[in-house]
Amino acid sequence: MNPCYETTSWRPGTLRAYESVGSIGAKYCYLNKVKPREFYNLILELIGEKNRYINRDDFTFDSLDFDFSKLSKLFNEPLPIVKKLSLKAINHLPNLRKQTGYSLASNEDFAYCPICLANGYHSPLHQISWVTNCFIHNEALINVVNKNKSIKNLHTDIKLLSNLYDIWFVESEIWESAKSYDWHLVDNKLIEEKAKLFIQALINTESAITNESTTIGNNIESKLLVLVENLGNSNSVFKAMHQNKSMRLGEPINFICSNMVADTLVKMNSKDFILFMYSRQITCESENAPEWKVALDKLPSILRINHKNCLHEYRKTFEQLEKTRISWCRWNTYVHPPYDMESYDRVPCQRIATLNLLQTILNFEDSLVHNSHGNFYDSRLGGMDYLFQDIEVLNDLITSDLAKKWVGFIVLGQHQIMKKYTPGYVFNTNDEADSRRTSMYVPHDLLEEIIDQLLLALVYVWIWALYETEMNRENLANQQFKPVQYLKLMISQLSPSAILEKTHNGLQLKIGTMVPYKTPDWFINKDDLINHYLNVQNKSRELEVTFDQVLLERMKSANLYQKSTNHLRIYSR
Amino acid sequence: MVDAQTLEHTKLSTRLLAGRDFLVKTPQCVSYLKQMHTWLTTGSQGALVHGRPRLGKTSATRWVLKVIPNLIGNFPVVEVPIRDQHIASERAFFQHLLRCIKHREAMKGSAGDKRDRFSEWLIARAKRSPINAAVLFFDEAHLLQDHQYSWLLNIGNELDKNGCRLFCLLVGQPELADKKLKLIEDGMEQIVGRFMVRELEFSGISSQLDLVATLTEYQETIYPIDSDTLFAENFIPLAVRGGFKLNSIGPAMWASFEKLWIHFRIDKEMSIPMHYFTSALIGTLNSLVKHDAHSLVVPQETITDSVNASGYKDSLRILLASLDKYKRTNSRS
Ligand SMILES: [Zn+2]
């Protein structure tokens, strides 16, 4: 007869495993015709007065005291499914955390799978910051900035309640059956089956990690993937959840060394290796250069092939225009140059912008010397100050002759290959290359070999990221992406990871990379080349005309129309 | 000072009389069950069950609703007591219904919110039942007002729209039958058509056969539940173990009730409301406690005393008065 414990207007049988608290909350508010506050109160009751969590960024259902059986009774849902709201099993994996920086922490965004959303489902497995695809549908997740305020005493994932409520029950028709009594939902068996694969991959990997190895890289998801792959725990779902799914584990490279040396090297962490990659890159000489250095040094000339004329044309018209612009600016108001190498739209040939991007990559010295924040290469250290003194095994490395002190001059601006094409630079004569005396540690012997292998993987990532950026130039403009932002994104997405592990007679290095070790096809075939030059000339004229028109407008408004005519190119033409 | 055993008997007696602790299948219950089975499986949306007070309507209804899922599968049932409730407004009415189902959010929001919250609760459960229906059991339903019926009509429509059915079981005193006529007179056939087409008049035990059958049910009942003690063993363990059968006192008990009925010269078929029957039975058992023995003989006197003390006499006096009044009103008009 009448229930003997509290009930709610939940629809029994509609709860799904690993459903997010926001998803459940939105449905609760709709079904019970109550405000979110009532659901918050319910959750506060269920998480217990002590409000105990291991981490501040845990999901709501990971509360240590969460009363699942009460929720099960209240919703009339089977306890086994209710218990699968928690991600406790993979929440705190200390070995993975140490090796990769692993955590389930979500970003502040609202991340969702459009297919799931159309079937009334959202999961914390969509919110994990390093997960890019839906674990059920393999669909790319969509990220939306979430501006909702935090709720006192509750964890941030509950903020998604109002987003989901609005999407499902207020405005749109995203989930068609939302307002009917027959909800069309994602099949629970499918959810459990897919989630299990993801969770198993992580748990198995966690238990297989030993301290006989170290993981190198600056991208959590890529490091995770390489670890899971290396320990043989990968599966279709786990791969699909990362954007780096095309990662290949290269052939292992073996190094023979003493057990002591091997021990010292596997004690190094990711940041230690990255620091040595910097110092190696800065101090590497061109004679007897390693493979990565050769590839990098050759790049500017490879990029110029087929485009010598473009550069010539650009420089010629550009210098001419700069004269006019600078003399105008000197006496009148400032006028922006029509050219901008930071935008594919505002250079006559795309390669000019690409060369400029390459220069951005090569100008890494400043970032290391000043170690300033916000600089391009800080991203490689996760934006933190990390110095050689911070390397725990530095002394052991020096004793074993794996690292040496280096004192010398670093030339700044050495790689500024596009400097002479920069507006404002032409007539600036007192800009000399600067050099700075610096001391640092450089890798030596076995460590140098390892570092060279890592740099090789990295250099090819840079090259392919540049290529991807140039190839995508038209989309970038549509999406309001600056080329340099896109390049950074590509580099971080393609970022390689490596595992260095002990073997019976030394060490083995396995590099997981998403790009091939070869130069992409940058070249233009002969027929297209003629068209290309024509386009470049047209674009060049177009930019000139734009500039002339701007200048004309300025003159009219400054009433200088007559006075300045003889100064101006526009009338001499 | 009362000894522990007496205390135990008193507790058991009051529970039985309140109809709370366990439900016994009387012959009337069995025919009620058959009716209910028909109503629920033939698409009816409501029924009237009426009868004089103390007949055991509430207990019988509870028993029927408890047993019937074994026959037709589970369905949601809400028992809604109407007596002494302040439910004049729609908001209060639905809040009362929400409280009957121990709804967590019973107090929140407007009348509309509460109505939707309640129908959502019913629909979610009705849809999962094999008969696609929900039953609302209104006890003392003769106290329901016209507008409350129309709110129920709305809920019924809401369930209809979603492919399920609301069944309102209206259980109350004989005025309920009059209410039906009045609703037709007042042009509210819709309510009658929906909830009151089916009707069952509830009477008490009306033959010696019924009375013996009811006693046999008590005789077979195990109490407390999950023990291996027969109900009567709680009072007269030695006698029961010696082979005493509770239904053996049936003819004597019937004779005592019949004697009272004849005494009042009531011009109707005799009926004993369950309440007085139970009361007489408990009275008898309590008196037998101190005589408990392996071979127990129950004196007729003990039974007659218990029947006389059951309150049946007073109820007949009231019945007689109301019948007279009814006759007078009818003859006047
Ligand atoms: Zn999905």
Side-chain angles (χ1 to χ4, degrees), chain A residues 1-3 5-13 28 31-34 38 41-42 45 181-182, chain B residues 62 65 77-79 100-105 108 113 116-117 120-121 123-125 127-128 158 162:
Chain A
M1 195 76 73
N2 291 2
Y5 41 79
E6 225 177 25
T7 65
T8 66
S9 299
W10 182 259
R11 293 181 183 170
Y28 183 88
L31 294 174
N32 287 286
K33 304 284 175 263
V34 290
E38 309 307 335
N41 288 339
L42 169 61
E45 259 177 61
Y181 274 93
D182 290 295
Chain B
R62 284 183 189 146
L65 290 171
V77 179
V78 185
E79 180 179 334
C100 289
I101 54 171
K102 290 202 172 52
H103 200 290
R104 187 183 160 83
E105 315 290 359
K108 315 277 160 41
D113 290 341
D116 292 351
R117 189 177 298 144
E120 173 63 53
W121 191 95
I123 293 167
R125 283 157 182 81
K127 283 185 93 72
R128 282 158 69 84
E158 194 61 30
N162 291 288

Side-chain angles (χ1 to χ4, degrees), chain B residues 155-168:
Chain B
I155 293 276
N157 291 340
E158 194 61 30
L159 267 83
D160 271 357
K161 239 192 327 191
N162 291 288
C164 40
R165 173 164 55 112
L166 177 67
F167 186 93
C168 285

Side-chain angles (χ1 to χ4, degrees), chain B residues 7-34:
Chain B
L7 205 64
E8 199 51 46
H9 292 153
T10 316
K11 210 165 83 189
L12 177 55
S13 311
T14 40
R15 280 185 195 171
L16 277 175
L17 285 170
R20 289 264 167 237
D21 230 37
F22 65 90
L23 305 164
V24 169
K25 181 177 71 177
T26 62
Q28 175 102 44
C29 285
V30 176
S31 68
Y32 189 177
L33 179 65
K34 277 185 196 148

Side-chain angles (χ1 to χ4, degrees), chain A residues 113 115-116 126 134 136-137:
Chain A
C113 158
I115 301 176
C116 284
H126 294 134
C134 175
I136 308 165
H137 304 102

Side-chain angles (χ1 to χ4, degrees), chain A residues 114-173:
Chain A
I115 301 176
C116 284
L117 220 56
N119 291 286
Y121 182 69
H122 177 261
S123 169
L125 294 174
H126 294 134
Q127 287 293 129
I128 300 168
S129 60
W130 43 268
V131 165
T132 60
N133 290 58
C134 175
F135 67 105
I136 308 165
H137 304 102
N138 190 7
E139 186 80 5
L141 300 176
I142 297 172
N143 278 272
V144 181
V145 178
N146 182 17
K147 289 178 189 146
N148 296 339
K149 284 199 195 109
S150 297
I151 314 298
K152 201 181 160 210
N153 293 328
L154 290 172
H155 281 211
T156 73
D157 53 337
I158 206 154
K159 295 196 307 190
L160 301 181
L161 188 157
S162 50
N163 302 54
L164 287 161
Y165 186 88
D166 289 351
I167 288 172
W168 283 338
F169 302 113
V170 180
E171 53 196 33
S172 65
E173 286 148 16

